[in-house]
Amino acid sequence: MAILVQDIRESFESCPFFNHMGIEIIYFEEHSVKIKLTIKEHVLNANGTLHGGVHATMLDFIQGMLLRSITKTRCATLNLNTQYLAAISEGDIFAEANVLQLGYKLAFWKNSGQRNRDV
């Protein structure tokens, strides 16, 4: 039986960690996924800004979601490099990913995360 994109979406929506983070799926289609996080106190660091690990978590999720929408199979992140340009402490942030190269066993990505004012 073929795996449907809707089944993959539901598997992420039922993931306890995904829900704990407060991530929301804006759209989830084959080759096109966008997620949102409304910043709340439990994701802030000691400086009162969004913890860098939350940014990285969103990018890791968006990569897996997009790859699974294309390949219809489970996957894992081997490496994730993140560069932070500015801190944020309130509002919404969004994440999207684009496949740069898709091979038999590896995929390369370009991810982006933006504040609500940039979307």
Side-chain angles (χ1 to χ4, degrees):
M1 181 168 80
I3 298 173
L4 304 174
V5 172
Q6 183 61 30
D7 295 334
I8 298 167
R9 176 185 178 137
E10 290 171 2
S11 74
F12 281 96
E13 289 177 326
S14 65
C15 172
F17 185 55
F18 189 85
N19 289 310
H20 171 72
M21 295 300 297
I23 298 171
E24 175 186 342
I25 297 172
I26 301 300
Y27 54 82
F28 193 106
E29 301 166 1
E30 190 171 331
H31 296 275
S32 183
V33 180
K34 185 174 187 175
I35 58 176
K36 169 185 153 183
L37 174 77
T38 299
I39 298 172
K40 296 184 178 171
E41 187 176 354
H42 77 281
V43 296
L44 299 179
N45 61 24
N47 297 324
T49 60
L50 187 66
H51 191 285
V54 176
H55 284 279
T57 295
M58 287 186 71
L59 297 176
D60 187 43
F61 267 120
I62 199 72
Q63 287 177 178
M65 295 167 86
L66 184 59
L67 185 58
R68 286 183 70 184
S69 81
I70 296 167
T71 64
K72 311 296 188 290
T73 188
R74 292 182 179 192
C75 58
T77 300
L78 297 177
N79 187 33
L80 177 66
N81 294 313
T82 307
Q83 297 178 8
Y84 303 97
L85 301 176
I88 183 172
S89 57
E90 60 184 13
D92 299 328
I93 58 171
F94 297 84
E96 295 180 274
N98 296 306
V99 176
L100 298 176
Q101 182 178 356
L102 181 60
Y104 176 70
K105 290 192 176 193
L106 291 174
F108 295 88
W109 305 93
K110 179 179 180 182
N111 301 319
S112 66
Q114 293 115 13
R115 297 177 184 207
N116 54 347
R117 70 171 189 234
D118 297 332
V119 175

